[in-house]
Amino acid sequence: MGRERFPKQSLGALYGKIKTSKVLMVGAGGIGCELLKNLVLTGFGEIHIVDLDTIDLSNLNRQFLFRYEHIKKSKALIAKEAASKFNPHVKLEAHHANIKDPQFNVGWFQGFTLVFNALDNLEARRHVNKMCLAANIPLVESGTTGFNGQVQVIKKGATECYDCNTKEVPKSFPVCTIRSTPSQPIHCIVWAKSYLFTEVFGTSEDDSPEFDHTEDSANANEIEKLRQESQALKSIRESMGSDKFSRRIFEKVFKDDIERLQSMEDMWKTRKPPAALDYDSVSTEAKAVDPTVSQRDQTAWSLQENFVVFSDSLERLTARKKQAQAAAIKGGTPADLTFDKDDEDTLDFVAASANLRSIIFGIETRSKFDIKQMAGNIIPAIATTNAMTAALCVLQSFKVLRGDLAKARMVFLERSTARVINSEALRPPNPNCDVCGVVQARLQVDPSRTTLNDLVEKVLRKQLGYGDEFSVNNEVGTLYDPELDDNLSKKFGDLGIKADSFLTIIDDDDEPRVNLSLSITEKSSEDPNPILLPEILEIPRKPKTAKPANTNGATNGPAEITNGVGAKRKRTADEDLDQNQASKRGKASDESSKANKIDDSLVIDDSESGAIVLD
């Protein structure tokens, strides 16, 4: 009773809901450690923790639940172990797994009262956002970047979701700069990560978002030569696993390609030409270097050390590629390897390759630690920002549990002398959002008997009244449209459509309906009907886009609207300066200095928004 005395006094009747709630926390890193501590001490009845990562030395400066002896152990499991000591009455469940694994399906999400996101990557956030919408479970989204932080409450049909606003596109670089004339360490890192690694172990560079092809037409001859280089590298990839594979890769990218660049004399009239590397001479000099040098991640490696790490990581990745190819043949899993900043094999390969290229072009080399930050687009995390963001997550969750969503706020942290915490009211869903601006339903199928034609004819046309112009899509691409009917006779199982996957129906009629998202669940094979849509759906038409008024070149209407959201999201530097000066003179207006009391928590309101959109 002593432990519950003060929470009961502070929270009143809400404490009963907190004690009986079952919540999910995705991510046990910087925000996650602080958030888990808050949830446990507040007294949330049951908390599930999901995190795929293991603890790294660099985590210890801010992720306070972890200690030196925990390095290389599961974040989720250690976080559970440490946090359970704070409050033994709370039930904790840890999952060392990827939140995108099939076990974490829509039905599993529906078992929670509330979900907290404490993730550090865009793809996983979008996945959790989508699953919470499909399960109709409230989500408290959060993120930090240096001194900046953000907390957002997301509720299906009531607020905008994580994808309602366009997220910042990753920085891209011209292909010719990356492939031919690098001048900065980041150019070599992008080359190693998005060109060399993907060509050898993944997909083609043409699919990489970090390559800007807008200047291709102006450099057509050079681009064609670069494409020929890529084709040559693909042919070398076929010798993967042979004794000479490492030599062939090295000589191709660090000798032959460099000598081709050297022959283009006009390119080096105003800059120092690159110097090719010789495999035999470098390998001879590197015989005394031990591969464990890769563990020394705080200092820049020498030429010989980079060569050893390159060769050793190439062998490790080759073995993994062979295993992935064998597994793909058996079970249809992807055979491509992908770069992950927390994957030692891929990071070693990218770090060593980038440094070897830097040496060739006379560019300063970087330590493995620096390259991890740059390749992973990491901005150093700050413990205080994480703590404040986690506290705001819990305060916003109180409003959700009370059912008082009108008082919930979107809250932002920023480094400012005038105002650290800014907030704004939650916005309604964006009707044009491809994620929440859709109708969602569950489709019960027997994948071994249901054909795509069953879905098209029995459900979409007969039951829901779709016309001729629509398409059926999944994560891979388009499965059916009026000009693509090859898959109609195929069964769902043959198309890779299984339990907990999603199908998106896009109406292309003259007055199209909003998109329909179908979550697949498996039904008994004994049921005579192999496909069933149990719900009666009303699918509204898409709102008509208003034609812009003829302003004769002038803008007299409202402010520019981006992706359906009209209010500005970030103050300009001039506005910050004006506000700071006004604050120092003590002449700030009553409106900008007013603090609003919301649900017993003090949140400073900014009538001019002052919001920061963070990934």
Side-chain angles (χ1 to χ4, degrees), residues 151-187:
V151 175
Q152 175 185 5
V153 174
I154 297 171
K155 183 70 171 72
K156 179 182 177 180
T159 73
E160 64 181 10
C161 78
Y162 185 72
D163 282 310
C164 276
N165 297 292
T166 304
K167 300 298 181 287
E168 182 180 354
V169 178
K171 183 175 176 58
S172 60
F173 302 89
V175 175
C176 288
T177 298
I178 299 301
R179 294 285 302 278
S180 303
T181 56
S183 58
Q184 302 173 26
I186 187 62
H187 296 158

Side-chain angles (χ1 to χ4, degrees), residues 230-243:
S230 298
Q231 292 300 320
L233 197 56
K234 288 178 181 178
S235 65
I236 293 175
R237 184 166 63 176
E238 296 175 2
S239 66
M240 185 178 294
S242 66
D243 295 338

